[in-house]
């Protein structure tokens, strides 16, 4: 794309189309995926052959398939193109949704969920967003995707019980098929075509670099964190819908609890995020969230069939969960070495879906053989173990990642990386001549993109 002004921070119409379009595709797919979470345990038990363990497997197998295909799909998009791979992934999601919608057996639901998960398009979506936006606007575009994820999760938790009560569980899967089909239409008609597929290490997985990311102990602790968070989410939602029913709230009214707790948590999230980022207290907020999650699991464990203690536990859970969902990607960005942010995020997403797989399967087995109290007790134990890891973490470096395109004359400067490194506010810098790029980690309180571009221009 033509970039006439590297210092122009206003999105072009093309960039806005790409951001809104890809955000819509991502959200429509996530909406369908999350709508089933609060209802499968209750409505799914009417399916032929259903049990709590198999319901948990149906929830978790989506994450297992995502974990298996996330990185391969991201690498494959470099060869076959971003949009074709996104369309293929969405078609797999549609096929899985139709199979689940037509099935009256839990095994059909499990097969459908597996096919849904196999269409792992997240990495391709982020790579295409990188192709279609300029460096100075990419952070805003990716932040929009992140915000859309949180909003979509909240809408799905409320909408799922309403749709399932009105038209049945199969209607949810027909909705998923329709939403994914709409995503295909948006991909083919609204989202612009990328003129080229330049490798951007800020958003794409770099071949051969996964081992380096896995060997970074600070990143490993964050990956353990996102895995634990989604184990807690999935295992809790295997048991929670049935617990609410036992407390006297019919399944068709569960959305009221989710709506109330989500609204309260969203209002409370922003001050904590500002405190963590502006006051540079991310570790304190991070550890505090683990403690709140521990408290939530203990409250749910001890609540039994008492309605208001259950609501209190759900409220504590969503408060900490939503803060963590915002904090963890930011922490990954801060801790990732220069030039490896995309790979670090790819590994992060994979461990997130491993957590989904473990949480669904573990929660279902515990619920079937020992009851809901054991699910929440196991969650509390997991939080206690996670807290040990969290306390051992170091305060992250408050750094931002940048990719700066290099002009031809700068590529011939063998000392360019060193010149960038000694600039005030620069913590790391690598130059990759074959990508015509410099990858830099900076403290935004001391320097910015414009200063570094000026430095490179002078060099």
């Amino acid at each position: 794309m033509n970039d006439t002004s590297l210092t122009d921070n206003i999105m072009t119409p093309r960039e806005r189309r790409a951001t809104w379009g890809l955000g819509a595709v991502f959200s429509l797919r996530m909406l369908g995926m999350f709508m089933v979470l609060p209802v499968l345990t209750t409505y799914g038990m009417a399916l032929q052959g259903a049990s709590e363990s198999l319901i948990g497997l149906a929830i978790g197998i989506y994450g297992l398939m995502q974990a298996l295909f996330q990185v391969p799909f991201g690498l494959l998009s470099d060869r076959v193109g971003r949009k074709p791979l996104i369309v293929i992934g969405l078609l797999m999601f549609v096929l899985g949704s139709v199979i689940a919608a037509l099935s009256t057996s839990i095994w059909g639901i499990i097969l459908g969920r597996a096919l849904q998960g196999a269409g792992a398009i997240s990495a391709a979506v982020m790579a295409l967003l990188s192709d279609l936006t300029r460096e100075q606007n990419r952070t805003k575009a990716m932040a929009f995707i992140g915000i859309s994820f949180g909003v979509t999760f909240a809408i799905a938790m409320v909408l799922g019980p309403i749709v399932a009560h009105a038209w049945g569980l199969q209607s949810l899967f027909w909705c998923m098929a329709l939403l994914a089909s709409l995503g295909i239409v948006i991909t083919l008609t609204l989202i612009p075509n990328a003129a080229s597929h330049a490798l951007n290490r800020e958003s794409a997985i770099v071949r051969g670099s996964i081992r380096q990311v896995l060997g970074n102990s600070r990143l490993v602790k964050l990956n353990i964190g996102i895995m634990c968070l989604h184990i807690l989410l999935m295992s809790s939602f295997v048991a929670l819908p049935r617990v609410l029913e036992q407390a006297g709230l019919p399944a068709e009214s569960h959305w009221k609890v989710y709506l109330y707790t989500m609204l309260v948590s969203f209002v409370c999230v922003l001050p904590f995020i500002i405190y963590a980022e502006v006051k540079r207290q991310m570790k304190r907020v991070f550890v505090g969230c683990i403690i709140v999650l521990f408290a939530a699991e203990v409250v749910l464990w001890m609540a039994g069939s008492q309605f208001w203690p259950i609501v209190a536990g759900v409220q504590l859970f969503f408060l900490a969960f939503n803060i963590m969902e915002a904090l963890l990607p930011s922490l990954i960005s801060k801790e990732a070495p220069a030039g490896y942010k995309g790979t670090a995020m790819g590994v992060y997403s994979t461990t997130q879906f491993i957590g989904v797989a473990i949480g669904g399967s573990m929660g279902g087995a515990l619920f079937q053989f020992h009851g809901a109290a054991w699910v929440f007790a196991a969650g509390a134990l997991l939080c206690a173990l996670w807290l040990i890891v969290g306390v051992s973490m170091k305060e992250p470096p408050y750094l931002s990642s940048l990719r700066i395109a290099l002009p031809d004359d700068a590529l011939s400067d063998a000392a360019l990386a060193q010149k960038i490194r000694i600039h005030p506010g620069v913590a790391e810098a690598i130059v990759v001549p074959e990508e015509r790029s410099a990858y830099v980690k900076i403290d935004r309180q001391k320097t910015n993109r414009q200063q570094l571009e000026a430095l490179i221009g002078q060099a």
Side-chain angles (χ1 to χ4, degrees), residues 230-240 359-360 362-364 375-376 379:
H230 281 263
I231 290 174
L232 292 169
L233 176 68
M234 296 299 161
S235 62
S236 296
F237 269 94
V238 171
L240 189 58
M362 180 188 76
V375 176
F376 300 126

Side-chain angles (χ1 to χ4, degrees), residues 78-323:
D78 294 334
R79 293 187 177 183
V80 305
R82 321 293 196 206
K83 290 179 74 170
L85 199 67
I86 291 171
V87 171
I88 290 170
L90 289 171
L91 284 171
M92 293 176 68
F93 191 91
V94 171
L95 177 61
S97 300
V98 171
I99 288 174
L102 293 173
S103 179
T104 58
S105 163
I106 186 61
W107 292 106
I109 300 293
I110 291 171
L111 174 61
R113 293 279 293 169
L115 283 170
Q116 285 180 328
I121 64 170
S122 298
V125 168
M126 290 302 182
L128 182 56
L129 187 67
S130 178
D131 292 339
L132 294 172
T133 54
R134 293 167 295 162
E135 298 294 336
Q136 61 269 37
N137 290 325
R138 191 161 299 127
T139 299
K140 290 184 287 187
M142 290 185 174
F144 175 82
I145 299 288
I147 292 170
S148 69
F149 177 88
V151 173
T152 298
F153 177 75
I155 293 172
M157 297 301 293
V158 174
L159 202 57
I162 295 174
V163 173
H165 173 66
W167 296 289
L169 180 63
Q170 276 70 25
S171 68
L172 279 181
F173 292 104
W174 286 118
C175 283
M176 293 182 199
L178 179 62
L179 292 171
S181 300
L182 182 57
I184 294 172
V185 173
I186 292 172
T187 301
L188 295 175
T189 60
L190 178 63
I191 299 170
N193 293 312
S196 61
H197 301 310
L199 176 61
N200 183 345
R201 292 166 176 248
E202 293 301 290
S203 57
I205 297 168
V206 181
R207 295 177 186 275
S209 65
I210 294 177
R211 183 176 297 178
Q212 180 173 344
V213 169
L214 292 175
N216 186 311
S217 62
R218 296 169 74 121
L219 289 174
V220 167
K221 290 180 180 180
L222 295 174
N223 290 329
I224 290 172
I226 191 60
M227 183 173 67
C228 289
L229 186 64
H230 281 263
I231 290 174
L232 292 169
L233 176 68
M234 296 299 161
S235 62
S236 296
F237 269 94
V238 171
L240 189 58
R242 295 279 289 278
V243 168
L244 284 170
E245 277 193 315
Q246 292 168 7
L249 187 69
E252 61 269 22
S253 298
H254 288 186
W255 67 270
K256 298 176 184 178
V257 172
Y258 302 137
L259 177 61
Y260 168 79
T261 54
M262 280 289 185
L263 287 175
V264 172
S265 65
F266 275 135
V267 170
C268 296
V269 161
L270 188 58
F272 285 101
I273 298 301
I274 293 173
Y275 174 73
E277 290 279 4
V278 176
K279 300 297 184 181
R280 301 197 165 187
Q281 296 291 335
M282 295 195 80
K283 180 182 175 181
R284 177 177 293 182
V285 174
F286 184 87
V287 172
C289 284
I290 300 176
I291 294 172
V292 173
L293 285 168
F294 173 79
E297 295 293 325
V298 170
V299 169
L300 290 169
W301 175 24
M302 303 298 292
S305 299
Q306 301 176 73
F307 177 72
W308 287 110
I310 293 171
V311 173
V314 174
Q315 182 65 81
L316 288 171
F317 184 90
F318 279 132
L319 175 61
F321 177 85
N322 286 323
I323 294 173

Side-chain angles (χ1 to χ4, degrees), residues 36-37 39-45 47 49-65 106-107 109-111 113-114 169 230-231 233-242 353-369 375:
V36 77
L37 185 59
V39 301
L40 192 56
T41 304
T42 49
Y43 292 89
M45 289 301 293
L47 294 166
S51 67
E52 287 85 352
S53 292
L54 292 178
I55 292 291
L57 178 60
I59 291 173
I61 199 168
Y62 179 94
L64 176 63
M65 300 304 287
I106 186 61
W107 292 106
I109 300 293
I110 291 171
L111 174 61
R113 293 279 293 169
L169 180 63
H230 281 263
I231 290 174
L233 176 68
M234 296 299 161
S235 62
S236 296
F237 269 94
V238 171
L240 189 58
R242 295 279 289 278
F353 286 113
I354 291 173
V356 171
I358 294 172
S361 302
M362 180 188 76
L366 285 173
F367 191 29
Q368 178 172 347
F369 296 110
V375 176

